[in-house]
Amino acid sequence: MSDMTSTADAPRSPGRPRSTRADEAIIEATLDLLAEGSTIEALSIEAIAARAGVGKATIYRRWSGKDTLLMDALRRLKGILPQPAGHSVRDDLILLVGAIGRNVDPRAEKIMPCLVPEVNRSPDHYRLYQNIIAPRRQLMREVLARGVAEGVLRPDLDVEVTMALLTGPMLIQRVLQWNPELNEHTLPEQVVDTVLAGIQAR
């Protein structure tokens, strides 16, 4: 008998890198199903596996369950966190406000509005949403805190209320198209300048 062992029979080494192609297929399948109208509650690992062309075990090797998979899929939908340059509070706020509700993936227009009622109905889905949005909120919090520390913004600034003032107009415009007369491209700068007029140090 030959001492040679065929490649097919050879044991796999521990720590073998997982397939990036499978990861991508699973994430894409999740987003496709949500864009086609599946609710978070109705979305199943079985349906995702079938759409991605993988077995359920492949998904469970990568994610502990549906919620962790959804978190990664929705983070993908939101895109990469913007990175403030740290030179100008105004410029950094315009960058962060401009990223609110903006998604490069066209499926976001179908998915995000449908998630709002589910987030309001389910404590679990609300926690999922908070886990996704918290890092973005923290970035804005840090910029505002830096503005206070540098003396650019009022020392008595309520940072949490200010974040709501900066965020609300962009969300309502981009998610609901509340006012067709507003220019989406110039709105971030207009919102920031309007709020800054009230929170700048005197």
Side-chain angles (χ1 to χ4, degrees):
M1 174 182 275
S2 170
D3 292 331
M4 301 285 291
T5 303
S6 72
T7 302
D9 294 334
R12 294 177 181 176
S13 60
R16 180 181 180 183
R18 58 193 230 181
S19 166
T20 302
R21 190 184 317 181
D23 289 359
E24 290 290 325
I26 293 164
I27 292 287
E28 288 297 305
T30 303
L31 293 175
D32 282 343
L33 289 168
L34 288 172
E36 290 167 10
S38 176
T39 65
I40 291 179
E41 291 179 355
L43 189 66
S44 68
I45 294 295
E46 289 82 0
I48 295 169
R51 173 63 69 92
V54 301
K56 288 192 297 181
T58 301
I59 295 178
Y60 284 119
R61 279 197 296 269
R62 290 158 166 77
W63 291 276
S64 60
K66 187 172 75 172
D67 281 352
T68 54
L69 170 54
L70 276 170
M71 188 177 300
D72 281 352
L74 293 175
R75 279 177 178 154
R76 167 77 64 83
L77 198 65
K78 293 292 292 178
I80 298 171
L81 280 171
Q83 295 302 316
H87 304 307
S88 160
V89 170
R90 178 181 180 271
D91 290 348
D92 288 349
L93 288 176
I94 291 172
L95 173 72
L96 296 178
V97 169
I100 295 169
R102 184 182 65 200
N103 304 282
V104 294
D105 192 318
R107 289 172 295 189
E109 294 181 4
K110 297 179 179 178
I111 294 173
M112 299 310 290
C114 297
L115 292 182
V116 174
E118 297 199 40
V119 166
N120 290 332
R121 279 197 305 263
S122 166
D124 290 338
H125 298 161
Y126 177 76
R127 282 192 293 271
L128 175 67
Y129 167 76
Q130 288 298 326
N131 286 335
I132 293 169
I133 211 70
R136 295 170 181 270
R137 192 164 50 232
Q138 181 59 24
L139 276 178
M140 186 178 291
R141 186 180 289 116
E142 290 170 358
V143 171
L144 291 170
R146 191 184 83 232
V148 172
E150 292 175 352
V152 176
L153 304 180
R154 291 167 43 176
D156 62 343
L157 181 68
D158 188 321
V159 170
E160 302 304 313
V161 170
T162 302
M163 288 196 297
L165 291 172
L166 291 165
T167 302
M170 295 308 303
L171 277 179
I172 196 172
Q173 186 62 23
R174 283 186 169 156
V175 175
L176 299 178
Q177 293 296 307
W178 180 73
N179 186 346
E181 300 302 319
L182 293 175
N183 185 323
E184 183 177 315
H185 300 291
T186 60
L187 187 58
E189 185 174 353
Q190 291 172 313
V191 168
V192 169
D193 285 342
T194 300
V195 174
L196 279 178
I199 67 175
Q200 284 177 325
R202 303 302 183 201

